[in-house]
Amino acid sequence: MNKDYSEEHENEKLEMYLLLEAIYRKYGYDFRNYSRASLNRRIKHRMSISGFGTISEMIHKAIYDRTFFETFLADLSITVTDMFRDPTFFISLRKEIFPMLKELHHIKIWVAGCSTGEEVYSLSILLKEEGLYDKSTIYATDFNDSALKKAKEGIYNINLIKKYTSNYQIAGGIESFSDYFIAKYDSAIMDQSLKKNIIFSSHNLVTDGMFGEMDMVICRNVLIYFNRDLQNNVFKLFTESLCEGGFLCLGTKETVRLSKYSHDYDDIVKGEKIYKKNSKPRLDITHINSNSNIEPVSTGFINKSATIISEAKTKLEELQRLIQSINPGN
Amino acid sequence: MKKYEAVVIGVSAGGLVALKSLLSMLPNNLSFPIIIVQHLYYNIKDDFSDLLKGGSLLKIKQADDKEKINSGCVYIAPSNYHLLIEDDKTFSLSIDEMVNFARPSIDVLFESASDAYGACLIGIILTGANNDGSMGLKKIKDRGGLAVVQDPNTAEYSSMPLAAISATEVDHILPLEDIARLIIRLSCNNTKLQS
């Protein structure tokens, strides 16, 4: 019995590979480097709703039926988030990051993977309350057009407003949250003035290029859906898109530290995963000519140097302690 | 005898006391990892793993995205994220919709763990006041893994253990002390099989 299941799992992995390859070749959407476990859940969910017995049956449908593919694409890509999710992140933006942006003439912010827009409106409200909205441009992008359409409309279920209001208050909101939307039947329609400086556009983090000279990139809870290789590619994109000293904001459980681009960033608000792109010159390995005259360094030499440095450090510490004992006031 | 590669535990109401008690009875040299989903209230920022550390010899930490899973370690799902396991035995997190009104959901962990570990998985359901985890435990059992449930008479809240028992034919229904003994015994078996 166990053997059957392990074979079934192996077969499913193969079908999954074929499905993702087919979608990429036919429609250009590339899910091949997404984290498989979540993708698997979403695909299984669609299979059970649409009544498919195997992934293979669904491959056929996805290739031949564009309408079905659109539905399936929404399954794979839309993440529903909250307004002011992780309220403490927004407190940090307001208290620690925005004061540093105040000096700028114009503020360019890229919200990458904005999905249905909840976070974009949260950001707009915050910028408005801190008097920065009028000199800001927010680029809100997603590769899913139906999600982007929803984001542009800015109409949310009224039942969620209670939770959003509470989040807003915990996030240090200074106005009445009800001033930011109009309630109509079972909908909350976000205020037009919040949309004025938002540019919604289609952009795919996996296959599209950089956005130039951003002062801040916000991309929260998107990278957790990607595998390590794809995460690295996206960090490259962000690093190229940010201006020197620009801020990168990730989700609470995401980090730049495990990527190849870790040394390009300093921690600004550690717990909230807000980083600042630094201006340290990088050693570009491709520029070192293999014929150039670099003496190979022996391990013995390195070990000897390390010993000298460590001895010097110990002596320095002794000296500091001595100075401290003579002059304890300093 | 079979080699087990991981233990997954699902626990809800009454979980802090139950987990503290269970973990205090385990040694720090287990031959497999223990991965736990504890339902938490929305938006709790505190690291739940900190609350469990006192009294246990094990290394307890919150699971990080794409982290490699190590034997002898206890991992706790972060609040407001689903915790999943990839085939290469690393974690993934997601903010997908709640499952059984919960995020993290026990079913989400158990089902993905079952895909990754197959028959070499031990699933344990402890105290709780809902029915999350019963589908996941069924999947673990169907794939040849071991299904263990806390004895409902000894659980602070019995509905989650009862739901699991009615959803699948479980292998063991035990009080916490005996669950600890079982874990130790299976961990020792692994070590014997290796040598």
Side-chain angles (χ1 to χ4, degrees), chain A residues 109-255:
Chain A
I109 302 174
W110 177 17
V111 182
C114 71
S115 193
T116 42
E118 288 83 344
E119 202 143 83
V120 186
Y121 289 105
S122 310
L123 179 70
S124 283
I125 289 170
L126 215 63
L127 286 164
K128 212 167 179 181
E129 292 185 356
E130 294 302 309
L132 298 175
Y133 188 78
D134 287 336
K135 61 170 176 174
S136 300
T137 306
I138 304 168
Y139 301 88
T141 67
D142 203 274
F143 75 92
N144 184 286
D145 292 335
S146 61
L148 206 57
K149 189 165 163 267
K150 259 195 108 175
K152 226 182 270 188
E153 287 166 357
I155 302 172
Y156 301 101
N157 189 328
I158 199 89
N159 297 329
L160 296 167
I161 291 298
K162 203 177 145 198
K163 184 162 135 197
Y164 293 171
T165 305
S166 146
N167 280 359
Y168 167 76
Q169 283 160 352
I170 304 168
I174 52 177
E175 304 290 336
S176 165
F177 189 66
S178 58
D179 291 346
Y180 294 116
F181 65 89
I182 302 156
K184 205 169 181 186
Y185 305 111
D186 54 355
S187 301
I189 305 162
M190 299 312 289
D191 192 77
Q192 281 300 324
S193 70
L194 294 171
K195 297 181 190 174
K196 199 175 54 154
N197 293 348
I198 307 174
I199 298 168
F200 291 97
S201 63
S202 180
H203 179 276
N204 191 329
L205 284 172
V206 185
T207 46
D208 293 340
M210 59 177 274
F211 263 63
E213 290 296 295
M214 291 292 140
D215 298 299
M216 187 187 286
V217 172
I218 301 178
C219 183
R220 306 182 74 234
N221 298 312
V222 174
L223 293 167
I224 47 176
Y225 290 96
F226 298 168
N227 72 16
R228 271 277 159 80
D229 290 341
L230 185 52
Q231 286 183 355
N232 268 319
N233 293 348
V234 176
F235 279 126
K236 179 172 187 281
L237 190 66
F238 290 162
T239 309
E240 286 167 355
S241 301
L242 277 168
C243 64
E244 217 168 80
F247 297 98
L248 175 64
C249 307
L250 303 177
T252 321
K253 295 299 292 173
E254 293 166 327
T255 176

Side-chain angles (χ1 to χ4, degrees), chain A residues 29-76:
Chain A
Y29 291 102
D30 192 354
F31 292 100
R32 295 173 301 174
N33 284 313
Y34 273 51
S35 296
R36 283 298 158 91
S38 288
L39 208 52
N40 196 30
R41 267 201 88 81
R42 290 182 176 202
I43 289 171
K44 289 281 173 62
H45 185 63
R46 172 49 55 193
M47 275 171 66
S48 86
I49 293 174
S50 300
F52 295 114
T54 63
I55 297 176
S56 295
E57 288 172 34
M58 208 160 63
I59 297 176
H60 186 271
K61 186 84 171 163
I63 296 174
Y64 286 94
D65 182 345
R66 194 172 280 267
T67 317
F68 171 79
F69 173 71
E70 297 292 335
T71 313
F72 184 48
L73 185 67
D75 292 339
L76 296 191

Side-chain angles (χ1 to χ4, degrees), chain B residues 98-113:
Chain B
M98 293 193 184
V99 174
N100 307 320
F101 308 100
R103 187 173 54 213
S105 146
I106 301 165
D107 276 343
V108 171
L109 171 69
F110 279 23
E111 286 169 20
S112 69

Side-chain angles (χ1 to χ4, degrees), chain A residues 82-124:
Chain A
D82 298 327
M83 283 201 201
F84 296 97
R85 184 191 156 105
D86 307 323
T88 50
F89 164 73
F90 289 93
I91 294 176
S92 295
L93 274 192
R94 193 195 289 267
K95 297 260 163 72
E96 294 172 62
I97 307 302
F98 284 4
M100 293 191 254
L101 297 176
K102 279 206 165 104
E103 308 303 316
L104 296 174
H105 203 65
H106 183 76
I107 304 167
K108 288 165 79 179
I109 302 174
W110 177 17
V111 182
C114 71
S115 193
T116 42
E118 288 83 344
E119 202 143 83
V120 186
Y121 289 105
S122 310
L123 179 70
S124 283

